[in-house]
Every structure is written in structure tokens, then in C-alpha cells.
């Protein structure tokens, strides 16, 4: 049994020696152990198990090499932890606590390949769930499918499906439902395309390709729940409430929505909605996804660097500022909402609901926790808004300003003491090379390096000029003064 952490004397750590749990068949293979998946997918699976609708066990895979403290804690606690959801329902505050015991196994794909292989070859597996961030579903030319394991996530999926195909002799029952939670357009459809591309590039048998197309299904999804993560500011009270010294408590908002598209047969395999979980099975999630990603996630990505540069700590405090509220009006009303299809009034109501969720008094959503892989997030969430505005003859200064704030924050020239951006090391090196004597050259290198626009794209110089202008204003006069100038210019 793991020793009790300091400050929680007398409370046991939740693990298999202190928490009774049922041994469950491994039916879900989950790539990722981050806060979101644990407070969303795993919490819903646990809810369905507790309701007696399902008996699903989850195997969590750490898909990248190197240390991960959260994963270590998950193993030490035998996959057991608590989810705390808070919000308002029917005008009254609600707090729900779920003890998650559905995770039965935790493996590292790179350091423990044999255990990883044994896990994905389990006959009981039916579903593969992933959240490898916006940067995870990417094509890597020449990725070696024979590696143990391949480097990229799409190549990993191709290799494990090929192994299952061979191991089970092409049995259609060994196919998997692949459910992607990454916040990119056509997330599972893109993964499927890359899997088939890897099959083609490696001259894999036609029978395998046919098995992937017939026995496996790929499901685009829309996921929606704000998950701040570990409630460090109230952890002593939380520990007393749950009765355990859980170092993996994850806090999220009560609101949740998981819209899953594609083959409706998945509903019989993972019937979470029948257990009262906020899951919808739809033919197509594109319209709902675009609305959510551009409004909620796009606002998060725009707010995070700006709030940090302004000296704020959390989302709630940032949106409470009068200047930021005016910035959000500009961003949403003139740039984001016009980029979406649908009834304009319904879109305005949706945006108002999102802004209200940002003020949830029960959540302390730290800006620093949202900043992970921010450049890839901007490319997926915000850049399409800007480019579509230009295509339609509209300006998008607030969206360009958001990119400038992000690049300035990553440069290390401005920002809160001790803040360390977490992004691609190569891009961070470009950001650290900030030269305010040539802001355009600096911005151009980052925009091209981050894959936002190619060097020969005719829109590149316009983007560079706008972003570099805002970045220079921030570097010379501070983010607050630059924001004031932006709002004054917008009228």
C-alpha cells in the first residue's frame, strides 16, 4: 500500500487494498490518462457500471515515451480515483462525487511493449478511445510499423489493428470501434484515413484493409465539459469528504455532452446514454462540433495567453475584467459567430451559455493548465475563423491578436513569474528567439513552423503583418495597453 501523503494523516490512499472493486473484462482501450478523459469518459463508464447497464473495464495506455507523474500515481492507486463535478441544476448548487474503479490496467506502450501488446490483444476489447490532443492525430512519413511501438498515434493504431487481424485470423468480431475525442475536424475520419494510408505505404495485405473497412468503425465525436483538474486549493476539504487521500482527484463542471457520430451499432456496445449519461449518438456531429470548438474551445485558446499576460490566474477572473469582456464581444459577435452556420439567434444564445459557464463559481480553471500545446490548439480552433473571415471579406483582428498574445507568452519576454509554456520543443525554441527588431521574421518562422500556413501561401504575409504588429505593441507597451488600442480601433 502506498504511504499516505503529508497533510492527510489518517486517511488511506485509494487502491486495491483499501477500495473493494469488481474485476471487469477489458472492453475499452484508452489512449491517454489526462484529466479530461478521467473526468469525462471514465466517469461516464463508471456511472454506467454503477447503474448496472454495463460491465466495462478500461485499460489505460500511456502512448508517449518518458516519465509521467500522473500516470505513476494512477498505477500506484491501482487506477482508482475520484471525480468531483460541481455546478448549478434547477437553480440549486450541486456537487456529485464518483469513485472510479473501472480502470483495470495501466500500461506504457514504449517502456512495456509486451504488456501493451498483451492488452490490445485481449479478446474482450471492443472500443478504442483516444484523446492525444490536437497534435496527436498527425501523419509521420516513414513511421515504422514494426517498431515496438511505432512513434505516431496513427501508426500505433495501424500496427495494433494489424496485430489483432493476424492474431485472430481476420475474425470480424476482433474489430474495434475507434472513438476519437481530439478537438480537430473529422477526428476519427482523419485517423481512419491515416491508418489506410499507412497500410498502403507499407503494402499491407488487401485482406487487412478490407477487415479495417468492414470490421472496424471510426466515430467522430464532440466532447464538452470544462475540466480544471486537480482541486489543489480545496484538496483538504475534498479529502475529508471522500475519506481518502486521493492524489488524483479531478474536478470538472457538472455540465457534460458527448456527441458520437457514425455507425449506430456502437450504442449497443457502449450504451452510456441508457444509464443517464449525457451521451448522444448522431449520424453526423460536424455542425455541433464546429459550434462548440470555435466558441468554447476557441475562447479558451484566445483567453489563456491574454489572461496570463494581464496577470490573471483563472478563467473566471479573466472574463470578469471589463476590457476582456469587450474583447470577447468583439471576438464572438464579429468573428466567431459569423463563421458558423445556423440560426444567428440560437448561436448567440449558445455563446451566452458558454460565457456563463466560464463564470461557474465552483470551478477554478487555471489558465496555466489550459495552455498545453496551445499552438496546435490555435491552429485547429482559431485559425479557421480568421481565414474564413478574410475569405468572406471580413476582418478578424481579435483572432489575430490572440495569436500575437500566444507567441509573446511563449517567447518568455512577458508573462507571470515561473510560467513555463508546454508545447513542441522546436516551436518553443523559435518562440524564445523573439527579436523585437524583426517581429515579422520572428512571427513568420513560427507560423510556418507550426504548420499554420505554408511559406508559399498568399495569405501568409497578411497574417504575419497583423500578428507582428500586435506582438510588437505588446512587447513595447504591455498586453493591457495593446488590448486597449485594439478595442479603440474596433470601435
Amino acid at each position: 500500500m502506498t504511504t499516505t501523503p503529508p497533510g492527510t494523516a489518517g486517511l488511506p490512499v485509494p487502491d486495491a487494498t483499501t477500495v473493494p472493486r469488481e474485476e471487469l473484462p477489458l472492453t475499452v482501450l484508452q489512449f491517454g490518462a489526462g484529466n479530461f478523459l478521467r473526468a469525462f469518459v471514465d466517469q461516464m463508464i463508471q456511472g454506467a457500471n454503477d447503474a448496472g447497464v454495463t460491465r466495462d473495464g478500461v485499460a489505460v495506455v500511456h502512448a508517449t515515451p518518458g516519465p509521467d507523474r500522473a500516470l505513476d500515481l494512477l498505477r500506484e492507486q491501482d487506477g482508482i480515483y475520484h471525480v468531483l463535478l460541481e455546478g448549478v441544476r434547477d437553480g440549486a448548487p450541486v456537487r456529485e462525487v464518483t469513485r472510479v474503479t473501472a480502470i483495470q490496467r495501466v500500461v506504457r506502450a514504449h517502456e512495456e511493449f509486451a504488456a501493451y501488446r498483451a492488452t490490445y490483444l485481449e479478446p474482450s476489447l471492443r472500443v478504442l478511445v483516444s484523446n492525444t490532443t490536437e497534435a496527436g492525430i498527425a501523419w509521420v512519413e516513414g513511421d515504422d510499423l514494426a517498431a515496438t511501438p511505432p512513434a505516431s498515434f496513427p501508426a500505433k493504431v495501424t500496427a495494433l489493428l494489424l496485430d489483432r487481424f493476424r492474431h485472430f485470423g481476420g475474425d470480424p468480431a476482433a474489430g474495434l470501434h475507434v472513438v476519437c475525442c481530439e478537438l480537430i475536424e473529422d477526428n476519427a475520419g482523419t485517423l481512419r484515413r491515416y491508418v489506410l494510408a499507412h497500410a498502403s505505404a507499407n503494402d499491407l495485405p488487401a485482406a487487412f484493409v478490407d477487415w479495417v473497412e468492414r470490421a472496424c468503425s471510426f466515430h467522430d465525436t464532440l466532447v464538452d465539459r470544462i475540466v480544471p483538474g486537480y482541486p489543489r486549493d480545496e484538496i483538504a476539504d475534498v479529502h475529508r469528504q471522500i475519506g481518502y487521500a486521493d492524489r488524483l482527484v479531478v474536478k470538472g463542471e457538472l455540465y457534460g455532452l458527448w456527441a458520437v457520430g457514425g455507425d449506430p451499432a456502437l450504442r449497443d456496445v457502449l450504451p452510456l446514454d441508457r444509464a443517464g449519461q449525457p451521451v448522444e449518438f448522431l449520424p453526423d456531429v460536424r455542425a455541433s462540433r464546429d459550434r462548440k470548438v470555435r466558441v468554447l474551445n476557441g475562447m479558451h485558446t484566445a483567453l489563456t495567453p491574454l489572461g496570463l499576460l494581464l496577470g490573471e490566474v483563472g478563467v473566471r477572473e479573466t472574463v470578469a475584467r471589463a476590457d476582456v469582456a469587450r474583447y470577447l464581444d468583439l471576438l464572438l459577435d464579429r468573428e466567431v459567430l459569423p463563421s458558423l452556420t445556423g440560426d444567428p439567434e440560437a448561436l448567440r444564445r449558445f455563446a451566452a451559455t458558454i460565457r456563463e459557464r466560464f463564470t461557474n463559481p465552483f470551478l477554478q480553471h487555471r489558465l496555466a493548465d489550459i495552455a498545453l500545446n496551445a499552438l496546435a490548439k490555435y491552429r485547429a480552433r482559431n485559425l479557421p475563423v480568421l481565414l474564413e473571415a478574410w475569405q468572406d471579406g471580413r476582418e478578424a483582428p481579435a483572432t489575430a491578436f490572440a495569436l500575437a498574445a500566444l507567441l509573446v507568452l511563449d517567447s518568455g519576454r512577458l508573462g507571470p513569474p515561473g510560467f513555463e509554456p508546454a508545447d513542441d520543443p522546436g516551436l518553443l525554441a523559435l518562440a524564445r528567439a523573439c527579436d523585437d527588431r524583426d517581429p515579422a521574421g520572428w512571427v513568420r518562422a513560427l507560423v510556418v513552423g507550426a504548420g499554420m500556413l505554408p511559406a508559399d501561401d498568399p495569405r501568409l504575409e497578411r497574417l504575419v503583418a497583423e500578428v507582428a504588429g500586435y506582438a510588437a505593441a505588446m512587447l513595447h507597451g504591455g498586453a493591457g495597453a495593446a488590448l486597449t488600442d485594439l478595442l479603440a480601433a474596433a470601435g
Side-chain angles (χ1 to χ4, degrees):
M1 176 177 171
T2 307
T3 57
T4 303
T8 55
L11 294 180
V13 171
D15 59 23
T17 68
T18 60
V19 177
R21 75 169 180 183
E22 181 184 10
E23 294 299 317
L24 299 168
L26 291 178
T27 59
V28 179
L29 183 68
Q30 176 177 303
F31 280 84
N35 288 326
F36 181 80
L37 283 182
R38 292 192 292 111
F40 190 78
V41 173
D42 298 326
Q43 188 267 346
M44 292 188 194
I45 290 174
Q46 185 65 47
N49 286 350
D50 291 344
V53 174
T54 57
R55 293 186 71 252
D56 288 323
V58 179
V60 170
V61 176
H62 183 55
T64 56
D68 185 295
R69 180 57 179 157
L71 189 88
D72 292 340
L73 291 175
L74 192 63
R75 298 184 78 162
E76 290 174 15
Q77 295 187 182
D78 296 319
I80 301 169
Y81 65 95
H82 297 77
V83 176
L84 174 65
L85 302 181
E86 290 189 310
V88 177
R89 180 185 292 147
D90 299 327
V94 176
R95 168 181 273 204
E96 293 183 353
V97 177
T98 302
R99 181 179 301 149
V100 176
T101 60
I103 295 176
Q104 307 284 298
R105 189 179 301 175
V106 180
V107 297
R108 296 177 182 273
H110 288 261
E111 293 83 359
E112 303 166 337
F113 181 78
Y116 163 62
R117 181 174 185 266
T119 299
Y120 71 64
L121 290 179
E122 287 280 355
S124 54
L125 281 183
R126 293 292 177 264
V127 178
L128 186 157
V129 174
S130 70
N131 185 18
T132 57
T133 79
E134 285 84 343
I137 300 181
W139 175 259
V140 175
E141 188 70 33
D143 206 341
D144 183 7
L145 297 186
T148 55
S152 69
F153 177 61
K156 284 183 175 72
V157 174
T158 307
L160 78 82
L161 290 178
L162 178 63
D163 210 357
R164 280 184 70 86
F165 168 76
R166 290 169 171 166
H167 185 79
F168 293 105
D171 184 355
L176 297 177
H177 298 273
V178 181
V179 183
C180 294
C181 299
E182 290 82 0
L183 292 174
I184 63 170
E185 187 174 357
D186 301 325
N187 42 24
T190 302
L191 178 60
R192 179 182 183 274
R193 186 168 69 251
Y194 288 161
V195 166
L196 295 176
H198 278 298
S200 175
N202 288 273
D203 296 321
L204 298 183
F208 167 69
V209 173
D210 182 70
W211 180 82
V212 169
E213 293 179 331
R214 294 176 181 271
C216 300
S217 60
F218 291 76
H219 301 263
D220 293 334
T221 78
L222 162 70
V223 295
D224 192 357
R225 169 170 285 158
I226 297 173
V227 179
Y230 187 73
R232 56 178 63 85
D233 296 336
E234 55 179 316
I235 194 59
D237 290 337
V238 172
H239 281 169
R240 282 192 290 270
Q241 178 188 357
I242 64 179
Y244 289 93
D246 183 357
R247 296 160 296 171
L248 284 171
V249 175
V250 57
K251 184 175 181 177
E253 66 172 331
L254 189 65
Y255 176 87
L257 173 65
W258 193 5
V260 184
D263 188 347
L266 176 64
R267 185 169 184 250
D268 294 325
V269 177
L270 200 67
L272 302 179
D273 60 324
R274 295 169 184 163
Q277 299 301 317
V279 179
E280 297 178 0
F281 293 91
L282 305 171
D284 195 312
V285 301
R286 281 177 291 185
S288 297
R289 181 200 58 231
D290 287 347
R291 184 181 70 169
K292 183 262 179 179
V293 169
R294 294 192 179 189
V295 177
L296 188 151
N297 301 107
M299 267 205 291
H300 266 160
T301 302
L303 282 171
T304 295
L306 177 58
L308 288 168
L309 291 174
L310 292 172
E312 302 296 343
V313 174
V315 170
R316 187 171 66 247
E317 298 86 355
T318 304
V319 300
R321 294 176 55 122
D323 54 354
V324 174
R326 289 183 58 205
Y327 172 74
L328 289 182
D329 290 340
L330 173 63
L331 179 73
L332 289 170
D333 295 342
R334 300 191 195 178
E335 300 177 22
V336 176
L337 297 186
S339 77
L340 297 169
T341 58
D343 176 57
E345 184 56 35
L347 291 171
R348 282 191 290 271
R349 289 196 301 269
F350 175 76
T353 299
I354 298 300
R355 292 180 70 167
E356 184 178 28
R357 287 167 62 191
F358 283 0
T359 66
N360 186 338
F362 302 105
L363 296 185
Q364 176 58 27
H365 203 178
R366 291 167 53 87
L367 297 171
D369 294 336
I370 307 174
L372 176 68
N373 292 327
L375 286 165
K377 289 175 180 176
Y378 183 94
R379 185 180 66 233
R381 302 171 178 181
N382 304 79
L383 184 63
V385 170
L386 181 144
L387 296 180
E388 288 174 24
W390 288 356
Q391 181 177 320
D392 294 341
R394 294 181 287 109
E395 300 294 322
T399 305
F401 187 87
L403 180 55
L406 172 56
L407 299 186
V408 169
L409 181 68
D410 281 357
S411 76
R413 296 281 294 274
L414 297 176
F419 174 77
E420 289 293 336
D423 217 312
D424 178 89
L427 294 178
L428 289 178
L430 289 175
R432 296 293 186 186
C434 174
D435 182 357
D436 51 13
R437 296 168 301 178
D438 181 22
W442 171 63
V443 170
R444 185 181 298 106
L446 274 161
V447 167
V448 173
M452 294 185 190
L453 288 176
D456 59 353
D457 193 297
R459 299 166 296 181
L460 177 62
E461 292 310 312
R462 180 180 178 182
L463 179 61
V464 167
E466 290 195 20
V467 174
Y470 293 131
M474 293 179 200
L475 290 167
H476 293 142
L483 179 58
T484 298
D485 291 344
L486 170 74
L487 297 174

